[in-house]
Amino acid sequence: MRGGPTQATVAKSSRPQCKDTLRIMDMSISMMRSDPHDRGSGKTLVSLAHGKPEWAAGLRQIYDGVVREPLPESVRALLARLDKG
Amino acid sequence: MRLIDQTSDRPDFKRDLIAVVPHLRAFARGMCGKPDLADDLVQETLLKAWAAQDRFEPGTNMRAWTFIILRNAYLTEMRRNRFRGDYDQDFAERTLVAPAGQEGPVHLADLHRALLSLPAERREALLLVGAGGFSYEEAAEICGCAVGTIKSRVGRARASLTAMLEDGKLPGNRVADAGAYGSIMQELDEVSHRTRK
């Protein structure tokens, strides 16, 4: 990353530090090359495969969370227009 | 563009296009940060894909094809100073929480913020390979670069995120954070910053 990571630190708060927080996540899925169709429910986190960073499951969780969201009305309306031809 | 009058005799195309919409939203959200801007981008992508359906070869990868369209639309909007990977903290705090049953809060908001601080090229590479499930070859096709370039971008993105998250050195969410601001602005050299404040 150009310029390197910033030197700003997480503000002290009642929240645990990122490193400790991420270690709470007990994960064991192959993050970077997993089957795109094998999403699972996203509710249960399992141990990380060797070599995968701890945040990798979080990245998938963020992505899958959006995939599972209901489509907003604006998008549904557009699809309906397209579907009607 | 007269979409209302334009019919399609390719029901499979419509079905497959609708199926990729959630993934388009996820990719756009990862790139833009803000849900409303991301959905604008997705709608633009759908319109363009619909208009170009004759150029889509049945049986090929619809998801990759539409991701290319979305990426190009994103780059265009970036050049127009519209999408700048803004981090919507309020939205993130409301939505990026761990499912019930976890031992403690998983601060995905921190991860999201770190992700958005990456240069766009590395962020998209990481999203495509690390979250979207694309192979390096597919991601290279989407990004219009060599496979080796994608691998390099993914590797650098991983290293940057790991350094930020494990060391607790996250970019701030305010412009006053010179480091984060500089990182984002460096990617957007050609974009005017004067309207930011």
Side-chain angles (χ1 to χ4, degrees):
Chain A
M1 179 176 171
R2 287 191 291 246
T6 65
Q7 299 303 306
T9 58
V10 176
K12 297 279 184 190
S13 68
S14 58
R15 303 188 320 180
Q17 295 297 308
C18 293
K19 190 174 183 179
D20 295 333
T21 299
L22 289 171
R23 287 207 172 115
I24 292 174
M25 301 166 66
D26 182 22
M27 304 165 275
S28 65
I29 51 178
S30 176
M31 294 310 306
M32 301 301 275
R33 304 303 297 269
S34 62
D35 180 352
H37 300 294
D38 182 18
R39 295 295 186 186
S41 67
K43 296 294 183 182
T44 303
L45 299 176
V46 290
S47 302
L48 269 180
H50 289 298
K52 299 298 183 293
E54 294 185 15
W55 50 260
L59 181 66
R60 286 285 299 270
Q61 192 170 340
I62 291 174
Y63 184 95
D64 290 346
V66 180
V67 170
R68 287 193 297 268
E69 282 180 3
L71 297 182
E73 178 57 33
S74 58
V75 175
R76 287 193 285 126
L78 176 59
L79 289 172
R81 284 175 55 201
L82 297 178
D83 200 38
K84 288 178 182 177
Chain B
M1 185 179 297
R2 298 182 180 182
L3 289 175
I4 300 297
D5 296 329
Q6 183 177 359
T7 59
S8 173
D9 56 358
R10 300 172 61 181
D12 290 346
F13 178 87
K14 289 188 289 188
R15 179 200 65 205
D16 293 344
L17 180 63
I18 291 173
V20 301
V21 170
H23 292 275
L24 289 172
R25 294 188 71 236
F27 181 51
R29 185 84 60 82
M31 293 303 295
C32 299
K34 291 194 171 182
D36 54 346
L37 295 182
D39 284 336
D40 285 347
L41 191 63
V42 169
Q43 291 183 63
E44 183 178 346
T45 299
L46 292 175
L47 291 171
K48 291 182 176 180
W50 187 260
Q53 61 181 285
D54 290 340
R55 279 179 269 168
F56 176 74
E57 186 174 344
T60 58
N61 192 331
M62 170 67 80
R63 200 154 64 104
W65 185 71
T66 53
F67 269 53
I68 290 173
I69 297 173
L70 186 146
R71 179 180 179 272
N72 288 337
Y74 171 76
L75 293 175
T76 299
E77 293 298 333
M78 273 184 59
R79 285 191 288 270
R80 293 175 182 170
N81 191 28
R82 186 178 173 203
F83 294 153
R84 290 181 288 180
D86 289 333
Y87 174 70
D88 190 330
Q89 182 180 9
D90 289 341
F91 177 82
E93 293 290 348
R94 288 198 312 272
T95 60
L96 296 178
V97 295
Q102 300 301 317
E103 291 184 32
V106 176
H107 298 293
L108 297 181
D110 291 336
L111 171 59
H112 200 193
R113 187 150 45 98
L115 179 67
L116 288 172
S117 76
L118 297 177
E121 288 183 340
R122 296 179 191 176
R123 184 164 70 248
E124 69 176 356
L126 188 64
L127 283 169
L128 291 172
V129 174
F134 289 101
S135 66
Y136 285 122
E137 289 74 18
E138 290 171 327
E141 180 184 358
I142 292 170
C143 297
C145 64
V147 174
T149 302
I150 284 293
K151 290 182 177 180
S152 173
R153 290 174 183 173
V154 170
R156 289 171 186 252
R158 289 181 63 181
S160 295
L161 282 188
T162 298
M164 281 191 277
L165 295 170
E166 292 190 353
D167 295 341
K169 297 177 181 178
L170 290 172
N173 57 358
R174 295 174 299 171
V175 176
D177 187 306
Y181 187 80
S183 176
I184 296 173
M185 292 301 108
Q186 191 174 4
E187 183 68 24
L188 303 171
D189 282 345
E190 74 277 9
V191 178
S192 171
H193 310 311
R194 296 186 186 90
T195 59
R196 180 84 171 111
K197 301 178 186 179

